[in-house]
Amino acid sequence: MIDPARPPRSSGAAAARRIGPVDFTMNLPPEPDAPALQARMQAAFVDLSGDLTSLLRYQGFGGTEEDKEAALRWLKGRGIVPPRERLLICPGAHSALFSILGQVAQAGDTICAERITYPGIRALAAHLRLRLVDLPMDRFGVDPDAFAAACTKVAPKAIYLNPLLQNPTTATLPRARREAIIAVARRYAVTIIEDDAYARICPTPPPSFAELAPEITYYVAGLAKCLGAGLRLAFLVAPSARSALPLGGALRAATVMASPIATALATRWIMDGTAEAIVQFVREESAARQRIAAAMLPAGTYTADPHAFHVWITLPEGWTRSAFASQGRSAGLGVIGSDPFCIAGTPPEAVRLCLGGPSTRQQITHGLEVLAHALEGSPALASAYI
């Protein structure tokens, strides 16, 4: 168990030699290492192998009835209880977002999003030739008044939000602000696209947009940040049965179907309780790693959430994001600067650190020790020990 008190530090050079490479770039949940849980997860693979031939065939789009029942159980844990005809099972959140954007907007149309946001939405908008308009944020997320002003100026077709443990800033929109955004969206007939990637990780999240305003919300619940990115599976809830029909057609045209093997595995895990056990592990391990970050990183240099597995660092004066990332690389520490997250304007001097993935607590501790040394000194001094 990690002592919450700040551990004694060795020199940055000694720490760098000891830890070897640590990748803080990929935003993955901590990987389960408890033998009993690993055995439980593995057992599902063994069970599936008994019917592997049928899982290698083409399947009906959207999953079997059992798959949909599992998806509905998963969504109910978030407070969302949609009719089956509004539910689609997709091969990952990215494909779901791609299909939604293609349905709600055409080339040249405007989509609003957080100024600092998930890079994938930038790539999708560029591919579909949509105009992204950034909305200013504070520590709670998007400013509803700025959203209203944008609606009068650019008439967006939709607003994309990652409103819980936001990637990369960790901001969470409180209920009152969600309700204010919904009021604006209804007033100006703007569709809400809710990317609720971290919903099951937070034990007491605010109600989702899909719960508060289901008739104007496309809701995406990917499993990558809760169970594992390799599943490539997401549950999509459309605002109505009517809107689900063309959305399903678009998904079939682009992806044919979600992998039957991945879908069957997720279904098995959800129905037998393994998925909930994985989520509980991710919650507890993320909290432990956040305590390490709080002990190691200089106060006031970062924003975080006890339930997130990433951290947003605002660099002190003298550091640029490129210089900090470069210094990290020289010590085998991968970090990502703010550039890919920024929709418009000059990116802030900030970096995202991811605390999940295959790294151990010991690796996380020593990697943060090196970065903390850098944050507390100047770039010139850092180069002497990184």
Side-chain angles (χ1 to χ4, degrees):
M1 184 65 67
I2 296 296
D3 188 339
R6 193 181 194 76
R9 291 184 178 167
S10 58
S11 71
R17 287 193 299 269
R18 188 170 59 248
I19 60 175
V22 180
D23 186 8
F24 288 118
T25 63
M26 296 303 293
N27 205 27
L28 301 171
E31 295 181 352
D33 58 3
L37 180 53
Q38 288 180 331
R40 187 173 177 180
M41 295 165 67
Q42 185 67 34
F45 277 104
V46 176
D47 290 344
L48 290 178
S49 67
D51 192 28
L52 189 58
T53 301
S54 68
L55 294 176
L56 294 175
R57 301 171 186 151
Y58 284 109
Q59 309 285 321
F61 181 79
T64 65
E65 287 304 306
E66 185 182 10
D67 296 332
K68 291 185 177 180
E69 187 62 33
L72 290 170
R73 178 179 294 191
W74 183 261
L75 293 169
K76 187 176 181 180
R78 180 65 175 99
I80 300 169
V81 189
R84 283 175 182 257
E85 60 268 22
R86 289 172 49 206
L87 171 66
L88 297 167
I89 298 177
C90 311
H94 209 71
S95 68
L97 293 171
F98 181 78
S99 298
I100 293 168
L101 289 171
Q103 292 300 302
V104 302
Q106 298 178 350
D109 286 341
T110 295
I111 305 293
C112 287
E114 302 115 329
R115 178 165 292 165
I116 304 294
T117 193
Y118 166 55
I121 204 67
R122 295 181 60 194
L124 292 173
H127 183 78
L128 293 168
R129 299 181 182 178
L130 304 177
R131 178 191 177 201
L132 275 183
V133 170
D134 63 302
L135 300 176
M137 306 167 62
D138 59 19
R139 65 190 183 95
F140 297 114
V142 163
D143 179 354
D145 292 335
F147 176 39
C151 288
T152 63
K153 293 178 181 178
V154 299
K157 295 291 185 180
I159 178 173
Y160 166 83
L161 295 167
N162 178 205
L164 184 70
L165 308 181
Q166 196 243 16
N167 180 15
T169 68
T170 75
T172 290
L173 282 168
R175 176 170 185 151
R177 191 168 292 198
R178 292 171 188 241
E179 291 173 342
I181 289 171
I182 288 168
V184 173
R186 284 174 170 156
R187 186 187 322 148
Y188 293 100
V190 177
T191 297
I192 296 171
I193 302 172
E194 181 176 14
D195 184 357
D196 211 18
Y198 304 93
R200 296 302 298 272
I201 301 304
C202 184
T204 56
S208 67
F209 284 94
E211 185 179 357
L212 296 172
E215 79 286 357
I216 60 170
T217 301
Y218 285 88
Y219 178 83
V220 181
L223 301 186
K225 308 303 184 186
C226 303
L227 303 182
L231 281 175
R232 304 310 307 145
L233 205 66
F235 304 139
L236 191 166
V237 179
S240 65
R242 183 176 180 179
S243 61
L245 289 173
L247 193 58
L251 280 163
R252 276 193 296 271
T255 66
V256 181
M257 63 182 180
S259 164
I261 295 174
T263 305
L265 180 62
T267 293
R268 183 70 57 89
W269 281 352
I270 292 170
M271 299 303 280
D272 70 10
T274 301
E276 194 58 43
I278 296 171
V279 167
Q280 187 59 35
F281 169 85
V282 172
R283 286 175 180 167
E284 293 174 359
E285 185 63 20
S286 296
R289 296 183 183 203
Q290 287 289 351
R291 289 194 293 271
I292 296 172
M296 300 301 303
L297 296 175
T301 62
Y302 69 97
T303 57
D305 185 283
H307 307 296
F309 41 80
H310 59 285
V311 173
W312 184 243
I313 293 181
T314 301
L315 297 173
E317 186 176 355
W319 278 107
T320 65
R321 58 199 184 277
S322 60
F324 191 80
S326 177
Q327 294 284 15
R329 282 193 301 271
S330 70
L333 307 174
V335 303
I336 294 184
S338 61
D339 300 74
F341 305 102
C342 189
I343 288 181
T346 302
E349 301 300 347
V351 297
R352 186 193 69 182
L353 299 184
C354 301
L355 307 179
S359 299
T360 65
R361 292 190 195 180
Q362 183 181 26
Q363 289 173 312
I364 294 289
T365 300
H366 293 317
L368 291 176
E369 179 181 2
V370 174
L371 296 179
H373 272 288
L375 289 170
E376 291 176 335
S378 69
L381 289 173
S383 64
Y385 56 73
I386 292 186

